[in-house]
Amino acid sequence: MAARAGVSRQTVSNVLNSPEVVRPATRNRVQLAIDELGYRPHASARRLRTRQSSTIGIRLDPVAGGISGSILDRYLHALVAHADGRSMRITLFTASDPADEIAHYARLRDGADIDGVVVTATQYDDPRIEWLARERMPFVAFGRPWGAERADDPDRLWVDVDGRAGVRAATEHLIGRGLTRIGFLGWPAGSGTGDDRRSGWEAAMVTAFGLGASALAELTIEATEGVPNARIAVERLLASGAGLDALVCASDALGLGAMMAVREAGHPHFPVIGFDNTPVAKAVGLSSVDQRLDVVARATLELLMGPEGTRVLPHGSAAADAAHRLITPQLIVRRSSHLAPVEEAGGSKAFDHNEREQEE
Amino acid sequence: MAARAGVSRQTVSNVLNSPEVVRPATRNRVQLAIDELGYRPHASARRLRTRQSSTIGIRLDPVAGGISGSILDRYLHALVAHADGRSMRITLFTASDPADEIAHYARLRDGADIDGVVVTATQYDDPRIEWLARERMPFVAFGRPWGAERADDPDRLWVDVDGRAGVRAATEHLIGRGLTRIGFLGWPAGSGTGDDRRSGWEAAMVTAFGLGASALAELTIEATEGVPNARIAVERLLASGAGLDALVCASDALGLGAMMAVREAGHPHFPVIGFDNTPVAKAVGLSSVDQRLDVVARATLELLMGPEGTRVLPHGSAAADAAHRLITPQLIVRRSSHLAPVEEAGGSKAFDHNEREQEE
DNA sequence: ACCCGTTCTTTGATCGTTCAAACTACTCTC
DNA sequence: GAGAGTAGTTTGAACGATCAAAGAACGGGT
């Protein structure tokens, strides 16, 4: 015990946890002894006494096949960095299905291993979220609850990226460059995220050109996620001779597939924009919409722990207007959308000037 | 306390930790009470008493730019899964540079937050490894210590992937298909990993065709990591009219760039093979060498905790022959290397039959 | 019956912290 | 100058598990 500074253990504890109650002179003396002896409180002892693990659990996805796998990765990185700033730690687990994941939640909570969880890859009527809410366990979902259900229930915290706004910005960027027949390559209707993104394109096209439903449908292509699917779909489209000026895509995988198809078909300047700003998009020069995962991660912790707090808030303590956060993403313009013969619109879009740096 | 089964706390503890010392009848009775009450030991209390955190720390890289970023991700996933099987948890941290990373090690160790660490992205004379060895903190490096230094020091545990063997297998696969002028697209000489991979190609070429140094040099292309760099280098090569039959590459990024260049130059069947088997390779049908990160992760824990153990072994307790593990990777053959007009060699190489499944 | 060795179970002590209450020293008030 | 109030510090207890040693139960041999 570092009571070598001639004070009691409790005073040491106070210096570390509530410095303001300790007289400055004493505080300095203790601090000096701490530095000198290199004393660090024993984390487990503290956690035992305070009944707080200061740890947040998150499931590490089994690398979701596609190239967008790195989204979670980047989000996780930002989350860990911000958590560190709040003296929180992140612990990982893996699960094979939602039921398994719930079992992990229960196990980790019962063992006082975690104070709360971050839920990713949310689905319609997600059983995990229902369970967490029922058990009154603190959590934040990355992903809105799609569908009619309680998206504004203050007991179900969530953060999400405003895909609609992002795709709208991408579309308007192309419109601003003088293009008119801008297609949308998205997933089959029915996925919340996909429909949301498409709605951004739709809004931009309707606003700019007043298109009707049939015109919009004509400009829409569907492909399930994956580079080859997109490639095939776009090849087919090109073969059918549909006159398109550009493509906005629901993901970088779709964007990459589209780009490969149009380039091979001999259109080196045909503009394509993806979504997610994955490393691959950067690598191949594909314009894309960046989710600003750093901002999302910060918002996640703000919901879970309050704006400045250093501990996880109890379930159900959020104000109605502080229970959800929708982050506006940012368009990153690269070669794939400004190589073209069309004049540069000179807008205020972000440019990616680092395009070649820091490849490892 | 679950002494509701009519026994003392210690007996409950024994049922959980050393069931063999408890009489079966008692054990069953206690187990029943445990299940019934849903009792879980308080992890922090146990950790305080046993002076073991049962936690391994690992740094989460700031997403290393390139498309190979997902390597750590997949390794991490496997590591977490295996750790769970040994009742271990993984905790993450981020660091801006080696010194910062070392500071994290010290902090986490002094706070009894971790029992050991896994070190990734190792370099020549890695300061982190020197520090860990000096402090006698348990650790395993993912990556051999390149250079002359003590690669066989039993105090410096490491696992790595045998890049040489992987590239050799890839090259031999092409040779088996009747190709002869097989080039190697690699990073500039001087990186341990890169030189190791090139040596596999060299070995295969020398064995098959008895090439000399100048012939080998003629077939070697250099590009720094990154899709565009590879693309440019290969475009240049094609323009210069060097007659090549196929390309083996040091990474998927190089492979992807090469593939884009040869496809655009009108060679849809020119075989290309990458390395790392990233999701992107899978997505675009690029043959690649898979690092078998699951095996690497298992080996990591075996070095850190012994073949079956459930706790981290003290530093320096490894036998000389159990301190390092070199994992042989596996060639995954896809369209990029077997579309060709050349006859299929009918070898025993692994095929990737899942190519389109489970894209999210 | 008695003692003895085994096998199984219980009892105190302890890990290192923080909580809650008690104590000390000092200042202020009337 | 006695009592009340306040700021700073110390003391005992507790968090919930495991360790080490002591105690109880049970057969078996003499």
Side-chain angles (χ1 to χ4, degrees):
Chain A
M1 192 11 155
R4 191 153 211 153
V7 299
S8 69
R9 29 181 229 287
Q10 183 61 32
T11 299
V12 177
S13 173
N14 286 335
V15 167
L16 292 166
N17 299 311
S18 347
E20 71 280 2
V21 309
V22 180
R23 190 152 42 126
T26 318
R27 193 193 307 159
N28 292 335
R29 192 155 37 93
V30 173
Q31 191 56 255
L32 212 73
I34 289 177
D35 296 343
E36 194 172 331
L37 300 175
Y39 165 78
R40 299 270 160 234
H42 194 287
S44 293
R46 163 180 287 173
R47 288 200 267 265
L48 170 59
R49 183 60 239 222
T50 61
R51 313 187 76 39
Q52 297 203 321
S53 68
S54 298
T55 302
I56 296 166
I58 186 169
R59 164 172 159 225
L60 190 62
D61 273 333
V63 178
I67 61 182
S68 47
S70 76
I71 298 265
L72 175 67
D73 205 22
R74 293 188 293 160
Y75 173 64
L76 194 55
H77 186 266
L79 199 61
V80 170
H82 283 117
D84 193 56
R86 296 202 188 210
S87 329
M88 283 274 146
R89 287 173 318 111
I90 304 290
T91 194
L92 301 173
F93 59 91
T94 63
S96 50
D97 56 64
D100 190 26
E101 186 166 350
I102 289 171
H104 273 276
Y105 292 162
R107 190 174 61 90
L108 290 168
R109 179 201 48 186
D110 293 346
D113 255 321
I114 57 176
D115 295 334
V117 296
V118 171
V119 183
T120 59
T122 53
Q123 311 157 354
Y124 278 97
D125 291 324
D126 201 305
R128 301 169 299 169
I129 291 185
E130 297 310 313
W131 187 89
L132 289 165
R134 196 165 54 241
E135 296 278 323
R136 305 190 58 72
M137 182 167 173
F139 75 95
V140 172
F142 178 6
R144 276 163 275 191
W146 295 104
E149 1 132 31
R150 29 202 162 187
D152 46 5
D153 181 343
D155 275 6
R156 285 149 209 238
L157 312 182
W158 56 259
V159 291
D160 204 356
V161 171
D162 191 347
R164 176 183 163 100
V167 171
R168 179 166 193 162
T171 310
E172 286 169 349
H173 160 67
L174 295 172
I175 293 172
R177 296 194 44 231
L179 302 163
T180 55
R181 290 190 55 82
I182 302 165
F184 181 79
L185 171 58
W187 306 312
S191 85
T193 312
D195 298 348
D196 181 53
R197 293 186 187 172
R198 182 176 185 282
S199 79
W201 164 80
E202 196 173 302
M205 295 299 280
V206 168
T207 302
F209 310 117
L211 299 188
S214 68
L216 288 169
E218 198 184 313
L219 289 168
T220 302
I221 320 165
E222 280 187 3
T224 53
E225 177 70 354
V227 177
N229 302 333
R231 193 169 174 173
I232 292 164
V234 174
E235 274 167 2
R236 196 168 300 152
L237 178 81
L238 294 171
S240 79
L244 276 191
D245 289 346
L247 265 177
V248 175
C249 309
S251 76
D252 278 352
L254 296 181
L256 180 58
M259 202 170 145
M260 291 174 94
V262 296
R263 297 288 178 268
E264 265 188 46
H267 305 294
H269 300 311
F270 187 99
V272 176
I273 301 185
F275 197 108
D276 285 346
N277 194 26
T278 55
V280 189
K282 181 174 187 167
V284 303
L286 174 65
S287 295
S288 192
V289 178
D290 186 274
Q291 303 212 18
R292 300 209 292 166
L293 296 168
D294 186 72
V295 178
V296 177
R298 186 162 0 128
T300 305
L301 291 182
E302 282 168 9
L303 293 187
L304 204 53
M305 313 175 63
E308 291 290 335
T310 179
R311 59 187 51 181
V312 171
L313 301 174
H315 176 92
S317 62
D321 63 341
H324 317 115
R325 296 282 290 277
L326 198 55
I327 309 299
T328 304
Q330 187 178 28
L331 176 66
I332 306 290
V333 177
R334 299 204 178 85
R335 292 195 308 280
S336 79
S337 73
H338 77 117
L339 273 174
V342 187
E343 278 296 296
E344 184 70 35
S348 59
K349 306 303 180 187
F351 248 84
D352 188 21
H353 290 297
N354 311 325
E355 218 168 298
R356 287 203 191 190
E357 83 185 10
Q358 85 175 26
E359 306 271 353
E360 96 169 19
Chain B
M1 189 16 155
R4 190 153 213 153
V7 300
S8 69
R9 34 183 225 286
Q10 183 60 34
T11 299
V12 176
S13 173
N14 285 336
V15 168
L16 292 166
N17 299 311
S18 346
E20 70 280 2
V21 310
V22 180
R23 189 155 39 126
T26 317
R27 193 193 309 159
N28 291 336
R29 193 155 36 94
V30 173
Q31 193 56 255
L32 212 73
I34 288 177
D35 296 344
E36 194 172 331
L37 300 175
Y39 166 77
R40 300 269 158 234
H42 193 288
S44 293
R46 162 180 288 174
R47 289 200 267 265
L48 170 59
R49 182 61 227 204
T50 61
R51 308 184 90 21
Q52 296 202 324
S53 68
S54 298
T55 303
I56 297 166
I58 186 169
R59 165 173 158 224
L60 190 61
D61 274 333
V63 177
I67 61 182
S68 47
S70 76
I71 299 266
L72 175 67
D73 205 23
R74 291 188 294 160
Y75 173 63
L76 194 54
H77 186 268
L79 199 60
V80 169
H82 282 117
D84 192 57
R86 295 201 190 212
S87 328
M88 283 275 147
R89 288 172 318 112
I90 304 289
T91 193
L92 301 173
F93 59 92
T94 63
S96 49
D97 57 64
D100 189 27
E101 185 165 350
I102 289 171
H104 274 275
Y105 293 162
R107 188 174 61 89
L108 290 168
R109 180 202 46 187
D110 294 346
D113 255 322
I114 57 176
D115 295 335
V117 296
V118 171
V119 183
T120 59
T122 53
Q123 311 157 355
Y124 277 98
D125 291 324
D126 202 304
R128 300 170 298 169
I129 292 185
E130 296 311 311
W131 187 89
L132 289 165
R134 197 165 54 240
E135 296 279 323
R136 304 189 58 73
M137 182 167 173
F139 75 95
V140 172
F142 177 8
R144 275 163 277 191
W146 295 104
E149 0 132 30
R150 29 204 160 184
D152 46 5
D153 181 343
D155 275 5
R156 287 151 209 238
L157 312 183
W158 57 258
V159 290
D160 204 357
V161 171
D162 192 346
R164 178 183 162 100
V167 171
R168 179 164 192 161
T171 310
E172 287 169 348
H173 160 67
L174 295 173
I175 294 172
R177 296 194 44 233
L179 302 164
T180 55
R181 290 191 55 82
I182 301 165
F184 181 78
L185 171 58
W187 307 312
S191 84
T193 311
D195 297 349
D196 181 54
R197 292 185 188 173
R198 182 177 184 282
S199 78
W201 164 80
E202 196 174 301
M205 294 300 279
V206 167
T207 303
F209 309 117
L211 298 189
S214 67
L216 288 170
E218 197 183 314
L219 289 169
T220 303
I221 320 165
E222 281 186 5
T224 53
E225 177 71 354
V227 177
N229 301 331
R231 192 169 175 174
I232 292 164
V234 174
E235 273 166 5
R236 196 170 298 153
L237 178 81
L238 294 172
S240 79
L244 277 190
D245 289 346
L247 264 177
V248 175
C249 309
S251 76
D252 278 352
L254 296 180
L256 180 59
M259 203 170 145
M260 291 173 95
V262 296
R263 297 289 178 269
E264 265 187 44
H267 304 295
H269 300 310
F270 187 100
V272 176
I273 301 185
F275 198 107
D276 284 346
N277 194 26
T278 55
V280 188
K282 179 173 187 169
V284 303
L286 173 66
S287 295
S288 192
V289 178
D290 186 275
Q291 303 212 18
R292 300 209 290 166
L293 296 168
D294 186 72
V295 178
V296 177
R298 187 167 353 134
T300 305
L301 291 182
E302 281 168 9
L303 292 188
L304 204 53
M305 314 175 62
E308 290 291 334
T310 180
R311 58 186 52 180
V312 171
L313 302 173
H315 176 93
S317 61
D321 62 342
H324 316 116
R325 295 281 291 277
L326 198 55
I327 309 299
T328 304
Q330 187 179 30
L331 176 65
I332 305 290
V333 177
R334 298 202 180 86
R335 291 194 309 279
S336 80
S337 72
H338 77 114
L339 273 175
V342 186
E343 276 297 297
E344 185 70 35
S348 60
K349 306 303 178 184
F351 247 83
D352 186 21
H353 290 296
N354 310 327
E355 218 168 299
R356 283 196 198 197
E357 83 184 13
Q358 84 177 24
E359 307 269 352
E360 100 172 15

